[in-house]
Amino acid sequence: MLQYIRSVVFIVQMYVAMPVFGLVFAPWALSSRRGAFAACKSYSRYVFWTARWMVGLRCEVRGTVPQGEALIAAKHQSFLDIMMIFTALPAAKFIMKKEILMTPIIGQYARKLGCVPVDRGKRGAAIERMVADVNAGRAEPGQLIIYSQGTRVAPGAKLPYKIGTAVLYEQLDQPCVPVATNVGVLWPKRGLLRKPGVAVVEFLPAIPPGLDREAFMTQLETAVELSSDSLMAEAGFDYDEQRPGD
């Protein structure tokens, strides 16, 4: 019960702090991409700091973080992995639902960061438009993050990897860095309880450009799923307990 109360207090203060950071940084952030990065990374670090002492949740980044242009294909389990991946990378930008760009403050920041809106009903067209922008030099350089399963996936759940990642991999001709995580074990996609422990995002060895679509997708999914399973077991997740009827 005490951990639950701590979790609720942590969540409330975290969301109260979000518009405060957004407004304080707004003059710099809305006139400069550098300011937008500073604002978002400052807020994320604040969340990491409060999570550590309020609910006992520590954040850890493992592996070699890419510094140049790359496609980042990540496992997505909760809001926490978004902040951890973004803060670790020098110039991250996300492929995101276009509805997010309509939200106050957050939408303006996303535009400044160079995030790419995707219409879920027209994803192929959106990816083609984004690739065209990158190839024409109109998009800001950096690390483009895509969640290959398209949404948050709870620990133990299985969801297919979508072909959009392979399309980007083929057309961008950049290395693809898979990213595994266990954050959903400690910070679930639903519910208020935040568990103590070590939340990890791990940057795995890059997949060089040039593989055919099927080989790329197989290598990506195998790397991310096996590494995520290992990290989740490290955090105390037990697959046997999640099986129906057990």
Side-chain angles (χ1 to χ4, degrees):
M1 179 59 70
L2 181 58
Q3 185 68 21
Y4 185 86
I5 294 172
R6 288 174 175 170
S7 298
V8 171
V9 173
F10 164 72
I11 292 168
V12 170
Q13 64 82 33
M14 181 187 82
Y15 283 109
V16 168
M18 183 182 290
V20 173
F21 273 81
L23 292 171
V24 168
F25 277 89
W28 182 23
L30 298 182
S31 61
S32 163
R33 189 169 183 241
R34 182 181 175 188
F37 275 109
C40 295
K41 292 192 176 188
S42 295
Y43 173 72
S44 296
R45 292 186 180 109
Y46 168 80
V47 172
F48 304 156
W49 174 67
T50 55
R52 184 165 188 166
W53 66 266
M54 293 185 75
V55 295
L57 177 57
R58 185 163 61 89
C59 297
E60 181 178 314
V61 176
R62 298 179 186 173
T64 301
V65 179
Q67 300 301 302
E69 287 194 284
L71 176 64
I72 310 297
K75 185 81 170 175
H76 185 24
Q77 294 185 335
S78 78
F79 182 45
L80 181 58
D81 60 63
I82 294 176
M83 292 185 288
M84 292 177 67
I85 294 171
F86 177 81
T87 304
L89 292 166
K93 50 188 177 180
F94 291 87
I95 293 180
M96 60 170 51
K97 296 183 298 183
K98 70 175 185 179
E99 291 82 3
I100 295 177
L101 294 183
M102 304 302 293
T103 58
I105 301 177
I106 294 176
Q108 297 302 313
Y109 274 85
R111 291 180 187 278
K112 203 66 184 179
L113 294 173
C115 294
V116 179
V118 171
D119 186 337
R120 284 191 169 183
K122 302 176 181 178
R123 180 165 296 189
I127 291 174
E128 289 179 9
R129 183 168 61 251
M130 184 277 302
V131 171
D133 287 345
V134 171
N135 291 336
R138 293 192 293 270
E140 295 286 351
Q143 300 80 40
L144 180 64
I145 303 165
I146 184 169
Y147 291 112
S148 299
Q149 292 168 291
T151 188
R152 293 174 298 171
V153 181
K158 298 297 180 183
L159 214 64
Y161 279 57
K162 299 187 176 182
I163 201 64
T165 306
V167 173
L168 288 173
Y169 168 78
E170 290 173 346
Q171 298 192 38
L172 292 177
D173 195 32
Q174 296 174 353
C176 176
V177 180
V179 178
T181 190
N182 67 359
V183 301
V185 177
L186 307 168
W187 182 316
K189 61 181 290 187
R190 293 187 179 89
L192 299 176
L193 182 64
R194 303 292 180 260
K195 300 176 183 178
V198 181
V200 179
V201 295
E202 182 174 6
F203 290 83
L204 304 173
I207 301 173
L211 295 181
D212 65 59
R213 185 172 294 188
E214 183 177 354
F216 166 73
M217 290 298 290
T218 298
Q219 187 170 335
L220 172 65
E221 182 171 354
T222 299
V224 172
E225 292 301 311
L226 287 178
S227 296
S228 294
D229 285 350
S230 178
L231 291 174
M232 289 189 292
E234 181 182 316
F237 182 74
D238 187 341
Y239 274 92
D240 290 336
E241 293 180 357
Q242 305 301 315
R243 293 175 182 168
D246 285 2

